[in-house]
């Protein structure tokens, strides 16, 4: 059963510079949040659920999915349907083929930041892993866990399960601090040390761990907090 789309959305109530399309035209796609980008793609909501709410639901679904979801899986999301699901699946596949992360090489903390900074505006901490090959090219970027407002709980096995699946040779991790504080906490130091110990056993190169906000980052390696005897090494 098809749901009738409603073309009148909450965007008409926004100031022009706040509307996703106008914002994209004025500032480029990099200035938009993930939800705003999906709102443009979805174009319209359905009866009882405007496009902003629909895009938020879709974003939550995509964040929980480690691999690219199928059309059938996307279509099961209430309010999406087959037509929108096809558009979303086509967008994801084209992005993977043409602009996939495998073309990106991590050379410094700034490169890591560029890949994860879109998570900086989240109200909860997100712990993210980046799987790298031997040339430090990105194989995959994943959200490992979503924590509390000021704390994320992660176990090394959750990080390394994906790395092993990706057949990674190296990796780096990152997490956002919603508070805006860039220095590491004792908990951050502890999980970094545990990851370093496990990486040594598995023969994986632990490149770096960065803490980031919307505007900047803090690197464990640059600040001498990776206990591998190579604190001053180049990426």
């Amino acid at each position: 059963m098809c749901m009738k789309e409603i073309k009148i959305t909450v965007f008409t109530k926004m100031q022009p510079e706040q509307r996703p399309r106008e914002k994209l035209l004025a500032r480029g796609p990099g200035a938009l949040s993930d939800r705003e980008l999906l709102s443009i793609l979805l174009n319209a909501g359905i009866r009882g659920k405007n496009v902003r709410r629909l895009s938020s639901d879709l974003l939550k679904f995509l964040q929980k999915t480690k691999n690219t979801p199928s059309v059938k899986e996307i279509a099961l999301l209430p309010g999406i349907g087959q037509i929108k699901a096809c558009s979303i699946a086509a967008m994801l596949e084209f992005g993977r083929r043409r602009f996939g992360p495998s073309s990106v090489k991590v050379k410094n903390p700034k490169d890591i930041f560029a890949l994860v900074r879109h998570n900086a505006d989240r109200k909860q901490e997100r712990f993210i892993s980046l799987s790298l090959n031997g040339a430090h090219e990105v194989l995959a970027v994943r959200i490992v866990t979503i924590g509390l407002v000021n704390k994320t709980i992660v176990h090394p096995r959750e990080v390394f399960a994906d790395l092993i699946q990706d057949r990674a040779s190296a990796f780096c991790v990152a997490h956002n601090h919603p508070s805006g504080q860039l220095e590491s906490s004792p908990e951050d130091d502890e999980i970094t040390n545990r990851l370093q110990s496990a990486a040594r056993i598995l023969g994986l190169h632990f490149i770096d761990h960065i803490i980031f906000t919307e505007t900047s980052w803090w690197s464990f390696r640059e600040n001498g907090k990776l206990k591998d005897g190579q604190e001053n090494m180049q990426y």
Side-chain angles (χ1 to χ4, degrees):
M1 179 177 179
C2 296
M3 295 185 179
K4 184 178 180 181
E5 293 187 347
I6 300 176
K7 295 296 183 180
I8 299 176
T9 74
V10 294
F11 296 151
T12 58
K13 300 179 181 179
M14 297 180 178
Q15 294 298 318
E17 65 274 10
Q18 295 178 324
R19 298 171 189 166
R21 287 189 183 82
E22 283 76 1
K23 187 175 178 180
L24 187 149
L25 289 170
R27 300 170 57 187
L32 276 66
S33 67
D34 291 350
R35 181 183 56 75
E36 289 172 324
L37 291 171
L38 291 175
S39 293
I40 293 176
L41 181 67
L42 292 173
N43 186 48
I46 61 170
R47 190 176 301 279
K49 183 181 289 188
N50 61 44
V51 70
R52 294 184 69 190
R53 183 180 169 191
L54 193 60
S55 60
S56 293
D57 290 347
L58 175 59
L59 179 59
K60 291 177 183 178
F61 166 74
L62 293 174
Q63 288 176 334
K64 292 178 181 179
T65 306
K66 289 188 175 182
N67 300 312
T68 304
S70 67
V71 175
K72 290 183 178 180
E73 290 172 324
I74 299 171
L76 289 175
L77 191 66
I80 295 298
Q82 290 187 346
I83 295 176
K84 281 185 168 65
C86 286
S87 297
I88 295 162
M91 176 271 295
L92 293 172
E93 179 61 17
F94 180 78
R96 184 191 68 79
R97 293 182 186 182
R98 183 65 181 84
F99 305 106
S102 60
S103 62
V104 177
K105 187 172 183 177
V106 172
K107 301 177 182 178
N108 51 54
K110 184 178 180 180
D111 294 334
I112 303 173
F113 180 57
L115 291 164
V116 302
R117 69 178 301 174
H118 61 282
N119 292 283
D121 62 349
R122 305 300 193 263
K123 295 181 180 179
Q124 297 169 298
E125 286 195 6
R126 280 162 164 71
F127 197 92
I128 304 164
S129 72
L130 293 82
S131 301
L132 312 176
N133 63 18
H136 295 178
E137 294 171 333
V138 181
L139 300 173
V141 179
R142 293 187 177 90
I143 296 175
V144 181
T145 59
I146 298 176
L148 305 176
V149 173
N150 60 353
K151 185 177 182 181
T152 183
I153 301 172
V154 64
H155 192 282
R157 65 171 172 263
E158 297 171 308
V159 176
F160 288 103
D162 290 328
L163 296 174
I164 293 171
Q165 176 182 310
D166 295 334
R167 298 184 180 274
S169 297
F171 72 101
C172 42
V173 296
H175 75 277
N176 63 311
H177 272 187
S179 65
Q181 175 66 40
L182 277 175
E183 293 183 7
S184 66
S185 67
E187 292 81 9
D188 296 334
D189 294 342
E190 179 184 1
I191 187 59
T192 302
N193 292 336
R194 294 177 68 189
L195 288 172
Q196 182 63 66
S197 297
R200 190 178 297 113
I201 294 172
L202 292 171
L204 292 173
H205 185 191
F206 188 6
I207 303 295
D208 207 346
H209 179 181
I210 72 165
I211 297 168
F212 64 98
T213 63
E214 292 188 58
T215 58
S216 191
W217 72 87
W218 187 93
S219 162
F220 274 75
R221 184 167 294 282
E222 287 188 341
N223 286 276
K225 283 199 169 187
L226 276 185
K227 309 299 183 181
D228 59 359
Q230 304 180 76
E231 287 80 1
N232 297 318
M233 71 166 285
Q234 298 295 315
Y235 277 54

